[in-house]
Amino acid sequence: EDHGASPPAMKPDSDATLFDLTARYPDEESAVRYFESLRWPKGPRCLSCKTADVVRGQTERRRQIWHCRKCGEQFTVTMGTVMEDTKLPLRKWLLAFHLIGASKKGMSALQLARMLGVSYKTAWHLGHRIRATMTDGEYVREGPRGRLVTTNTAEGLFANLKRQITGTHHHTSKRHLPKYLEEYDYKYNTRKKSDGARTVAAIKRAVGKRLTLYRTRNAGVPSLFEGPAPRR
């Protein structure tokens, strides 16, 4: 007996659209599980001793805490990534990764703030932290047998880059301009990938990268501003 057509197969995350992501990860718990699956495809591992002998602890501030049975350390999926110490829900991080990754000509902090329902300052910091995961491209390199490998589309690339800076961001400071250039370079080099694949690739690059808003006591962590956070 024919009961109608079968439901369409679910797209993998590498081909997911923004609509797919909002339906697939409707709450914070599902978003946390998603980030955990990308960081630990074979299951969580201790960030200190690398053992897989870990147990799930209680959830604190909407974030799942893991306990290591071997060394006793506690950790979360955001530790040691650009998302460390974030107060934003990871579901908003997931949507922000996709929005920035899918915007071929960039996305302004004001637009990101409106779409996520956050302040301009939060959106600006969020955008730069995501751009820190997009540091991949190159224009010229020496190939096999000493041959110079370069691109024939440099003029078109810079023309589109100018449109992004003037049309989307309107103004960028000299200090932060390299971050926008890296974002554009990453998108150009991944232009043949789907928006979903570009999003997944950026999230996987979040490990080992930190970018705070103000300078911290940890000299090894870069910041967007040189000085410490202003006193309230």
Side-chain angles (χ1 to χ4, degrees):
E1 183 178 357
D2 186 6
H3 294 282
S6 301
M10 182 177 291
K11 296 179 180 178
D13 289 324
S14 59
D15 293 327
T17 64
L18 182 63
F19 180 82
D20 295 329
L21 291 179
T22 56
R24 196 171 303 173
Y25 307 103
D27 51 34
E28 183 65 1
E29 182 179 357
S30 60
V32 172
R33 298 288 184 273
Y34 173 69
F35 279 97
E36 288 179 343
S37 69
L38 288 184
R39 185 169 189 181
W40 302 304
K42 298 181 179 179
R45 288 185 172 271
C46 177
L47 303 185
S48 297
C49 65
K50 310 304 180 184
T51 181
D53 188 11
V54 299
V55 293
R56 189 187 301 274
Q58 296 182 348
T59 301
E60 181 178 328
R61 293 183 181 178
R62 299 171 296 188
R63 203 82 74 244
Q64 176 65 58
I65 295 179
W66 294 89
H67 298 272
C68 178
R69 288 177 173 175
K70 184 177 181 180
C71 68
E73 289 293 321
Q74 297 183 5
F75 59 95
T76 67
V77 70
T78 62
M79 289 181 63
T81 74
V82 293
M83 300 176 286
E84 185 167 332
D85 296 329
T86 183
K87 296 180 180 179
L88 280 179
L90 290 193
R91 188 167 185 266
K92 289 195 175 185
W93 271 93
L94 174 57
L95 298 180
F97 264 107
H98 187 89
L99 288 170
I100 292 178
S103 301
K104 300 299 177 62
K105 293 186 178 179
M107 175 168 287
S108 68
L110 283 173
Q111 180 68 19
L112 191 62
R114 288 194 295 267
M115 298 186 75
L116 296 181
V118 299
S119 68
Y120 171 78
K121 182 178 179 180
T122 296
W124 187 79
H125 187 198
L126 174 63
H128 277 307
R129 291 165 91 173
I130 290 177
R131 290 184 189 97
T133 70
M134 299 180 174
T135 54
D136 180 26
E138 56 181 336
Y139 301 108
V140 180
R141 70 175 184 270
E142 186 173 306
R145 301 178 182 178
R147 293 182 60 187
L148 191 64
V149 181
T150 184
T151 175
N152 294 324
T153 56
E155 292 183 2
L157 182 146
F158 285 113
N160 290 330
L161 173 61
K162 290 178 181 178
R163 294 190 188 99
Q164 173 180 327
I165 297 297
T166 59
T168 300
H169 303 293
H170 303 303
H171 171 75
T172 58
S173 67
K174 183 183 297 185
R175 174 180 173 82
H176 300 301
L177 179 61
K179 300 178 180 65
Y180 295 100
L181 300 181
E182 288 173 343
E183 175 198 357
Y184 183 81
D185 185 32
Y186 171 80
K187 290 178 181 177
Y188 185 83
N189 288 337
T190 59
R191 62 191 182 279
K192 294 183 180 180
K193 292 185 178 181
S194 66
D195 294 339
R198 195 177 301 108
T199 299
V200 171
I203 293 175
K204 288 182 176 180
R205 291 170 173 267
V207 178
K209 297 180 180 179
R210 295 289 312 281
L211 183 64
T212 61
L213 188 59
Y214 297 102
R215 180 170 49 82
T216 64
R217 294 180 179 179
N218 189 343
V221 177
S223 62
L224 292 171
F225 293 106
E226 289 292 344
R231 295 182 178 180
R232 296 183 180 276

